[in-house]
Amino acid sequence: MPKKKVFLSYAREDSSAADRLRKDLRVHGISVWFDKKDLRGGENWREVIHREISRADYFIALLSKSSVGKRGVVQAEIKKAIEVLEETPGDEIYLIPVRLMECKPKYRKLNELHWIDLFPRWEDGVNQIIRSIDGEQGHADLSKTPTPLDDIVIERDENAKPKRLKTLVHLSEMVRETIEIFGKYARRRNVIIDFTDTAPNAHVIASRPEIITAIANVLNNAIKYSYSGRNLESKVMLSTSQARSKAIIQIENWGVGIPKQDIESGVIFERGFRTPDAKEHTAGGMGMGLWLAREISRKYKGDIVVESKPVRWMIGEGDPRPPYVTTVRLIYPAEKIE
């Protein structure tokens, strides 16, 4: 069966989200025409875009506050797609409105169509798009890009005074809850999550959602950057411990390493930073995990410690990449429980 061809229309402000969606659809065998990748130098871009819209099996209008209120190319693309839709049999799907956020399309025709939302859960939205295109109820294999972080990222207004909704929270319970959230994602990547609880009575005073967000960002990286695959099973090891007045969550994985100089310089905690090896291993990623985990740890007078060391033997048959063992420790002040 030939690949379904999709034209992806988006505003320039939404180019990162558009590229992520393109990659997700390609994982499922859907061919996406994407101007940044497919327009060649010297081509008449306006003519090429009109031609590709007419040739596409489906047109995805990626909608946001930027695109619905913006004049220019994106509106011209939607207008052309509506013209194609008018010539399409009424029982066939062609134009698929997909929203990145709460917004209302101005075109009456778009408002007559069922919208698909990529929020609050990106993966659910992508699966709805795939069902619209393939007409199947199965789930896409999205193991290379979307992660459960889409469900639990805390909105942060850097100019606002931080809210301190602190309560007494049980460390092990937060770790177990985070592991449950990431179970399906880990299985897709053929990664086992192993948890050893040596501090079953450790408690901290903090915001429960924020601590879970910190754990989730580190666990996400550990799963994503482990060497694993169809014929290679990997393991991420979590443990809790308590040393005097400190409660510690340790997360360890074997795979892509972090250069020693990047750890010592502290650049790994800069917002948006990703090492070259991390970019080569996984295209998706915003470089926010360690930055956010440290922000949350320091908010509660804690800390984060990162170590990454190469090991001597190889991992995986025929795989020449020497693995690193990377250990991240989230440290928080422990609360005494009588």
Side-chain angles (χ1 to χ4, degrees), residues 115 167 171 189 195 242 257 282:
W115 303 337
T167 58
L171 200 69
R189 284 185 168 266
F195 177 42
Q242 187 167 351
T282 303

Side-chain angles (χ1 to χ4, degrees), residues 162-180:
K163 296 179 181 179
R164 295 183 177 274
L165 303 176
K166 297 188 292 185
T167 58
L168 185 66
V169 291
H170 188 205
L171 200 69
S172 299
E173 286 183 2
M174 290 188 293
V175 173
R176 293 183 194 279
E177 184 175 335
T178 310
I179 291 172
E180 184 176 351

